[in-house]
Structures are given as C-alpha cells and as structure tokens.
Amino acid sequence: MIQTNDKLLCIRGNSFYSEGEVYTVGRIVNNKYFQLLTDNNEDHWYATLDEQGIYVSFDSSVAENSKAWFDKIA
C-alpha cells in the first residue's frame, strides 16, 4: 500500500528520475495510481503500482528510458 509522503527509491532511472535517489509520494489518485514528486518537489508525474511493481511510464520520445522503476523504503 502506498500513502502520501511515503519515500520511494529509484532503482532504474531515466531522464526525469535518477537511479539511487529518493522521491516522495504526492496525492493518491486511487489504489493503482498516485503522484510521484520530482527532485524539487514542485512537479510530479503519475506513477503506477501493479503486479509489475512501482513505475512511472513515459513516451519514449520524452524520456531516454520509457519507465523509471522504484522500491518503497520501509
């Protein structure tokens, strides 16, 4: 379960999220989608939590890798 202000560790980054950095969960949309803040905590992308894990998907023309992957920090 993901909650607002949880911390997520980026385990595979891309142009917007850096591997090894910790990011903060913003507003929860529903049990599958939520906001994941960027480095400055002023912008966000929508993340997905499903059977594959936690990730943010990007159009391949926008980001070098199409998905950034995360693990929840306990």
Side-chain angles (χ1 to χ4, degrees):
M1 178 100 184
I2 297 291
Q3 298 180 339
T4 299
N5 293 323
D6 279 353
K7 303 297 183 193
L8 302 182
L9 174 66
C10 182
I11 56 174
R12 187 169 11 147
N14 63 14
S15 302
F16 299 98
Y17 293 99
S18 300
E19 187 172 327
E21 293 293 320
V22 175
Y23 297 92
T24 304
V25 173
R27 187 177 66 83
I28 305 299
V29 176
N30 57 36
N31 63 349
K32 185 175 179 177
Y33 300 106
F34 57 92
Q35 294 177 343
L36 188 58
L37 304 177
T38 57
D39 285 335
N40 59 15
N41 288 340
E42 294 179 11
D43 199 8
H44 67 272
W45 292 90
Y46 286 95
T48 302
L49 171 63
D50 64 17
E51 63 280 344
Q52 294 179 31
I54 303 169
Y55 58 92
V56 177
S57 293
F58 295 89
D59 182 321
S60 60
S61 66
V62 174
E64 186 175 317
N65 296 320
S66 63
K67 290 184 181 176
W69 293 89
F70 301 87
D71 272 343
K72 184 175 175 184
I73 297 175

